[in-house]
Amino acid sequence: MSEKGRIEKPVLAVDIGGTKIMTALFTSGGKMMAREVTPTLAGESAPTVIERLCRAIDSILEHNNLVMARVAGIGVACAGGIDSTNGVVVTPSPNIKNLVNVPLADILREKYGVGVFIVNDASAAALGEYRYGAGRGVKDLVLFTLGTGIGGGIIADGRLYLGARGGAGELGHMTVDVNGPACGCGNTGCLEMLASGRAVERDVISRLKKGEKSILLNMVNGEIEDITAEQVGAAARNGDPLALEVLARAAYYLGIGMVNVVNIFNPEMVVCGGGMAELGDLLIGPGRRMVNERAFSISSQAVRIVTAQLGNEAGVYGAAAFARERMTRGTV
Ligand SMILES: [Zn+2]
């Protein structure tokens, strides 16, 4: 087959997260043709999770009357430490504990006979937002994924920056308080421990247990442990002082992280994605102010801090772009 034929075929993209596997098909022009979602059931063994992944791939092909021979290649976005050069999930995401040292690219390549390209999910989201979302037309961009945890991705001079082995962009694990709480990564005071959805929930729950008052108590009928970050956001929008204070604390630490990122990368844009970014100015506003006050002016004057545009589809958009670029240029 000619190089041109291979490039014009659709790309199959996969985003493997802690709760769901999203599959999608993209035209050569980057337009999404189809999308499906299935549970990851991430607590199961690696072979079982991979089997579910293959079933999800087979399903979207079947529903679109495609066979893999008519697909250019597979792009995979996956949580965890991903060695993109060798296509290996090296260190697991806390949410998908059993995927460790799994040569996922080789496994899928052997099964399907096409090129398979794997990238960290937050790096994929950065590439997705850069190509098709908030970052179109911007050459230097840093993405924070603000969800249950915090991830990140870096676009430097129009290219996805992965570092020496694929581990770059772990923005959630920069230290923002050396004496802060211990993190699952082995460090202390990581941004993720102080500004993620889980951190917000932890702070609210501990303060309520100490007897503080909040409308959140009514929202969950007294079941304090059930409180979600989303509910904290809703309470804050209703003016609840406790929710506002907890979010202000998270926003403060996120602001410290943003100042660091702006000083290090001098990005034209900082994009905030993930469920927590839907809190908008409640979470991101203080960061904007702190960047203005604390970052070097050469960098703070250049940066726009915005919310993402692709929602939970950023990962598959980015995985498709990653595969396409690796196939056409041999690199991203
Ligand atoms: Zn950490």
Side-chain angles (χ1 to χ4, degrees), residues 96-286:
I96 321 176
K97 288 195 178 68
N98 297 327
L99 282 188
V100 51
N101 286 324
V102 174
L104 193 55
D106 283 349
I107 292 169
L108 295 178
R109 197 178 296 121
E110 265 173 38
K111 181 170 168 69
Y112 291 111
V114 296
V116 180
F117 307 90
I118 305 188
V119 63
N120 169 268
D121 57 351
S123 288
L127 187 58
E129 290 290 342
Y130 164 62
R131 290 261 180 247
Y132 305 109
R136 273 171 294 178
V138 169
K139 284 179 75 178
D140 294 278
L141 169 162
V142 178
L143 170 93
F144 282 88
T145 58
L146 306 168
T148 312
I150 294 180
I154 300 155
I155 304 291
D157 199 20
R159 294 160 80 95
L160 179 62
Y161 180 76
L162 292 170
R165 210 181 162 194
E170 288 292 353
L171 304 183
H173 299 278
M174 73 174 109
T175 304
V176 291
D177 176 2
V178 285
N179 300 311
C183 179
C185 76
N187 202 348
T188 57
C190 293
L191 180 62
E192 178 167 299
M193 295 306 295
L194 293 154
S196 64
R198 202 177 290 128
V200 163
E201 290 162 6
R202 186 199 60 215
D203 285 359
V204 163
I205 290 167
S206 104
R207 289 180 61 168
L208 289 175
K209 280 184 172 169
K210 286 177 189 154
E212 291 195 45
K213 299 287 173 249
S214 164
I215 57 171
L216 281 158
L217 287 168
N218 300 331
M219 289 168 71
V220 293
N221 293 323
E223 299 289 333
I224 291 175
E225 298 283 352
D226 293 347
I227 287 170
T228 64
E230 209 174 357
Q231 289 170 319
V232 179
R237 285 198 196 90
N238 279 316
D240 183 69
L242 175 66
L244 283 166
E245 270 179 40
V246 167
L247 286 181
R249 183 170 183 268
Y252 166 77
Y253 285 111
L254 178 62
I256 292 177
M258 283 181 179
V259 171
N260 290 338
V261 158
V262 167
N263 277 341
I264 294 167
F265 293 103
N266 180 201
E268 193 178 337
M269 183 178 276
V270 170
V271 183
C272 297
M276 292 285 285
E278 286 166 21
L279 291 168
D281 279 351
L282 265 178
L283 193 67
I284 297 163

Side-chain angles (χ1 to χ4, degrees), residues 30-88:
K31 196 172 178 311
M32 190 188 283
M33 302 155 60
R35 193 198 82 152
E36 293 184 3
V37 176
T38 189
T40 311
L41 302 182
E44 295 180 1
S45 69
T48 310
V49 171
I50 292 166
E51 199 187 307
R52 292 183 65 76
L53 170 65
C54 292
R55 254 188 277 146
I57 291 171
D58 295 341
S59 162
I60 197 166
L61 289 175
E62 194 186 321
H63 292 155
N64 291 278
N65 298 315
L66 272 174
V67 289
M68 200 53 94
R70 292 182 53 208
V71 170
I74 303 175
V76 180
C78 186
I82 310 296
D83 178 343
S84 288
T85 307
N86 297 306
V88 177

